[in-house]
Amino acid sequence: MDAQTCLKKLQYVGVLAFSTADSDGSPQVRNISAIHYEPDAMYFFTARGKNFCRDLLSDGRVQILGYTRYKEMIRLSGRAVPVSQEEQQKWMNIIFAEQPYLANVYPDDTRKIGIVFEIRDAEIEYFHLGVNPIFRESYTIGKGTIRPKGYHITDACISCGKCVKICPQRAIEKGKPSVIHQEHCLHCGNCFENCPVKAIERLG
């Protein structure tokens, strides 16, 4: 798996959930399908009068979620910025050509009310619940950064093995200290809550 494959999987999903925060800090979620994919970027269309557009223009941070029929969760976190004025028509034409239904929503010249945003720098999280043990990894596009998540076992570990027994995905290998295999970790916190010597720390 890699970032480009994740973007292709999002394209197959089609309709994605876009999450932003409004001016009051309240979470807002919209389903968006007017999207075009490049190997290193995502472009999407919305109308300038929509609250969604105002949220993006005022902050830009967005989290995008897609879920495949195979129980794969793909989450993209990044910042959306308007495409340059000189490039707006180019990307708008591409998106409308790929999504013919948009001509019914914005017929003829009414598409001019729209604006195209791009996301070039982002973190992509891939989480496959359809395999056992589960599998997860994080990737970046552009200048995106990966934020540490989950749990880590410190040198305070006494190797009692309790965390190994209670991990629902068998993601912990006993040792001194024991080791959490992050690619199989659910981030459920069961080891963290039950370690008798508090040797497990939260990463983020």
Side-chain angles (χ1 to χ4, degrees):
M1 191 61 59
D2 54 31
Q4 284 68 40
T5 303
C6 286
L7 289 176
K8 288 179 182 177
K9 286 179 177 288
L10 288 177
Q11 187 173 5
Y12 295 147
V13 170
V15 179
L16 305 181
F18 279 60
S19 177
T20 61
D22 65 18
S23 58
D24 296 325
S26 300
Q28 302 291 334
V29 179
R30 287 91 171 183
N31 287 332
I32 305 294
S33 59
I35 306 168
H36 170 74
Y37 297 86
E38 292 287 323
D40 58 351
M42 174 188 288
Y43 297 82
F44 60 95
F45 171 94
T46 189
R48 291 192 299 274
K50 290 181 176 289
N51 289 340
F52 178 45
C53 185
R54 289 203 291 271
D55 294 346
L56 293 171
L57 290 173
S58 65
D59 188 296
R61 287 177 298 170
V62 64
Q63 195 166 80
I64 300 164
L65 185 66
Y67 197 70
T68 77
R69 61 183 294 187
Y70 303 108
K71 310 303 181 187
E72 300 166 288
M73 184 277 291
I74 302 169
R75 181 167 50 206
L76 185 149
S77 303
R79 188 172 294 274
V81 298
V83 172
S84 69
Q85 196 59 44
E86 295 75 22
E87 296 275 297
Q88 281 287 330
Q89 193 62 54
K90 167 190 168 182
W91 294 110
M92 197 176 296
N93 289 343
I94 290 173
I95 291 172
F96 271 71
E98 292 178 349
Q99 306 286 349
Y101 81 93
L102 285 172
N104 295 323
V105 183
Y106 297 99
D108 303 321
D109 284 346
T110 63
R111 71 173 64 181
K112 292 180 180 178
I113 193 60
I115 181 172
V116 177
F117 288 84
E118 67 176 348
I119 301 174
R120 286 197 165 274
D121 304 319
E123 175 189 12
I124 298 177
E125 298 171 84
Y126 176 81
F127 187 25
H128 197 337
L129 285 168
V131 294
N132 188 282
I134 62 94
F135 177 79
R136 72 186 318 142
E137 263 186 344
S138 295
Y139 319 99
T140 61
I141 57 174
K143 298 178 182 177
T145 58
I146 295 175
R147 296 167 295 172
K149 293 182 179 178
Y151 297 87
H152 168 73
I153 301 176
T154 69
D155 288 338
C157 172
I158 59 173
S159 196
C160 67
K162 183 171 185 179
C163 60
V164 176
K165 294 176 183 177
I166 64 174
C167 176
Q169 288 294 311
R170 308 178 308 282
I172 304 177
E173 181 179 348
K174 188 174 180 180
K176 189 64 171 104
S178 295
V179 175
I180 299 174
H181 294 286
Q182 298 296 332
E183 69 273 20
H184 301 308
C185 179
L186 272 174
H187 298 174
C188 68
N190 203 29
C191 59
F192 175 78
E193 291 189 5
N194 288 281
C195 177
V197 294
K198 306 300 180 186
I200 300 174
E201 62 183 11
R202 192 190 302 266
L203 293 177

